[in-house]
Amino acid sequence: MVEISIKDLGMVYSRNETVALEGVTLDIERGEFVSLLGPSGCGKTTLLRIIANLLEPTSGALTVADGTPEQARKDRKYGIVFQSPVLQNWRTVRKNVELPLEIMHVPPMERRERADAMLHMVGLHRFFDAYPEELSGGMQQRVGIARALVIEPEILLMDEPFSALDEFTREKLQADLLQIWQESGKTIVFVTHNIAEAVYLSDRVCVFSPRPGRLSAVVDVKLKRPRPLEIRDTAEFVEYVARVRGSFEGV
Amino acid sequence: MEQSVKDRVSGIVLPVAFAAVLLVLWQTQALHAILGTDTFTFPLPGHIARILAGNVPKILENLSATCTVVFGGLAIGCVAGYGISVAAAMSPRWGVGGLRVIGAFNAIPIVALAPVVINLTRDVSGDVEVRSTVAKIIVVALLCAVVMSLGAYRGLTDLKPFSEDLLLSYAADRKTIFLKLRLPNSVPHIFIALRVIVPTSVISALISEYFAEYIIGIGRMIRDNITLAQYATAWAYIVVACGLGIASYAVLLLVEKLVCGKRWRT
């Protein structure tokens, strides 16, 4: 069953006539983990923002959760995680996770229960009442993930969520993300510029190339799941990385 | 932790010790020798203290008039300034230009503004005390409103990257974005503005008293006593003015600490 359907999508920024995306066609299945991979300027973040209805495409069509992206946004069908955690410093960790539920007018008791459950899931149950500035970068990003999941979205959109983290923290969060995905069965669209990260996480890696931004290849990653961190040392993994790297055009 | 206690002690003890040394030099007239002045234009602290103690009702009357102007103007100015910043933030097209015009007000000296406002408010009331108070409050409020609108506008519009997108992704409307993001984001900027506003409102109240029709207030007493060469009395009012400025700033810092705590860093 198709969750996100993209047909011949194009995006031209009128400001400077930049062609950010051209002729992108892609179907993302429900429950699939898909990465959008490419160097900066290839349009991968633009595509994610279009799916999230934070940008309007200039040509082509797309449906998200069987409706328009706007409907999907208004129905809170997706949760989004950005490059930075985007936490509100004046709210405690728990209150940050409750924020979307406040906007949705969920009663206070239920808000707290749901926020606490999410914070348990991302391993932050000891930090309910901490303020964001008291947490490390990795912990802050976990709060961001908990906040995206607390509205129980069908789709999780992630825009280079781990790119600002150190290697050790990133590996831990990648493993945790896979576990969360396996438990929740959500569709995940994950933007990254890290080839190994895309291969490790995804069912499919969509390779984007710049100038103009376009989808140049889709690589199916058939590594068995669950994937332990050590899978990165196997010949099969290295082969996938090489294959993905070989499919970039004009970088 | 030990270091911070040490810092705190030295941060309090040193200034207090410095003030004490200064007072002793002053009272023993060593300061007069250094500055080449006499005890008539530069009265001794003991003399000033006796005048303060002997004129409590008159000082309180003038202090209360000044406080009405300071805090009335401050309250009206801050509310109006915040309102202006909200309006500017809601309409980005007019906001920036409008605030630039308001920023120009900042360059007008109080000594120029006060007589103009006093002239413009001549018909407000037949009671000279009332129209004088209104004029002075308007001067203070104008200056406060300018600083607050510029500061708060920054707080309402200078958002963390993606934070507005985040709320949009939850289908939040403009009102919700204002209440859940812009408003709380502006809180530390309000206090930063207040740190300028509180001393400004005291100074502008004192100066606007110089020009007011009705003769009252700490600032007016300083001026009039100097004109009459009653330097010791003038100094007594200078001490009261300093006390008012320091006390109101201390209250601000206390409120800031209570409101901001760990939540907002200023």
Side-chain angles (χ1 to χ4, degrees), chain A residues 202-243:
Chain A
S202 320
D203 294 323
R204 278 194 296 160
V205 177
C206 304
V207 180
F208 283 76
S209 298
R211 287 174 293 275
R214 64 201 183 279
L215 179 57
S216 48
V218 178
V219 176
D220 279 293
V221 181
K222 296 206 159 59
L223 294 168
K224 64 171 176 39
R225 293 192 190 264
R227 296 174 184 171
L229 278 172
E230 299 74 46
I231 205 169
R232 295 156 192 258
D233 304 325
T234 64
E236 203 185 358
F237 186 86
V238 174
E239 201 176 298
Y240 272 118
V241 170
R243 237 176 85 194

Side-chain angles (χ1 to χ4, degrees), chain B residues 46-66:
Chain B
H47 188 194
I48 296 170
R50 278 195 302 280
I51 292 175
L52 282 173
N55 293 283
V56 172
K58 182 140 191 270
I59 289 172
L60 283 182
E61 188 194 341
N62 284 292
L63 180 62
S64 127
T66 301

Side-chain angles (χ1 to χ4, degrees), chain A residues 35-96:
Chain A
S35 286
L36 311 179
L37 173 72
S40 53
C42 70
K44 56 193 192 301
T45 293
T46 299
L47 179 56
L48 194 82
R49 292 177 64 83
I50 290 172
I51 295 170
N53 188 232
L54 297 172
L55 263 183
E56 285 288 333
T58 45
S59 62
L62 77 159
T63 61
V64 177
D66 301 321
T68 64
E70 191 185 359
Q71 202 51 51
R73 178 172 68 87
K74 295 208 160 138
D75 293 343
R76 286 127 180 162
K77 295 272 194 190
Y78 73 82
I80 190 163
V81 179
F82 298 96
Q83 288 167 33
S84 53
V86 207
L87 302 178
Q88 298 191 333
N89 289 343
W90 55 86
R91 286 171 174 259
T92 59
V93 163
R94 178 190 263 145
K95 286 285 177 189
N96 263 287

Side-chain angles (χ1 to χ4, degrees), chain B residues 9 30 126 136 147 159 176 192 223 234 246 249 251 257 263 266:
Chain B
V9 168
K136 289 183 282 187
V147 178
L159 307 172
T176 309
I192 291 168
R223 192 190 90 147
I246 292 167
Y249 199 74
V251 169
K257 199 165 184 184
R263 286 174 287 183
T266 51

